[in-house]
Amino acid sequence: MIYESRDVAATRPRLLPWSNLDGNPCYLVTDDSGTGRVSRLADEIEAVQLGMADDLLGHAVDLLGDTRATAPQLRYLAACLAEALHDVHRIARSRGARLPVPHGDEEDPAAGRPSPSEGGRPR
């Protein structure tokens, strides 16, 4: 007998908060409820990344308010902020993809957005 999950979000691959050695995204495909070892590790890493981004924002406010900040310091800050934004964006995409789709809001799989017949706006 083949088991088919009713929860579509549980069967979608999870975008993990790290890349492979080539810089490509890594995904986790699992049939559990997100409580497995790799899922918990990903949750912990996401929490660390979000905490570091929050700390960096505080540092950025301080540095930008310092009139003695040098150009190299500001360039380094910009690079760090870009990296943190990349991490936060990946986390947001990962979490957003795992949100359940309300019944009646199914997406048109060919276009990746709600179909006009299901209440989506044509483009």
Side-chain angles (χ1 to χ4, degrees):
M1 173 175 207
I2 297 175
Y3 174 78
E4 292 185 25
S5 173
R6 299 257 184 230
D7 184 8
V8 176
T11 60
R12 290 186 208 148
R14 175 183 178 170
L15 176 62
L16 295 172
W18 56 79
S19 300
N20 67 14
L21 295 175
D22 295 326
N24 295 317
C26 294
Y27 294 90
L28 174 65
V29 178
T30 180
D31 59 356
D32 64 23
S33 61
T35 59
R37 186 173 166 198
V38 177
S39 291
R40 288 191 316 269
L41 176 63
D43 291 341
E44 291 170 12
I45 290 174
E46 286 179 355
V48 168
Q49 289 174 326
L50 291 172
M52 290 172 61
D54 188 50
D55 292 345
L56 183 59
L57 282 175
H59 179 65
V61 169
D62 293 342
L63 187 60
L64 291 171
D66 184 355
T67 58
R68 297 172 296 152
T70 65
Q73 288 173 317
L74 293 173
R75 278 194 299 276
Y76 181 71
L77 174 65
C80 292
L81 286 170
E83 184 178 344
L85 182 58
H86 174 77
D87 291 342
V88 170
H89 183 250
R90 181 191 305 257
I91 293 167
R93 285 188 357 246
S94 176
R95 292 181 180 184
R98 289 181 278 144
L99 290 174
V101 177
H103 184 66
D105 283 348
E106 290 82 14
E107 291 188 3
D108 178 5
R113 59 184 179 271
S115 67
S117 65
E118 296 170 341
R121 246 183 353 196
R123 293 190 184 222

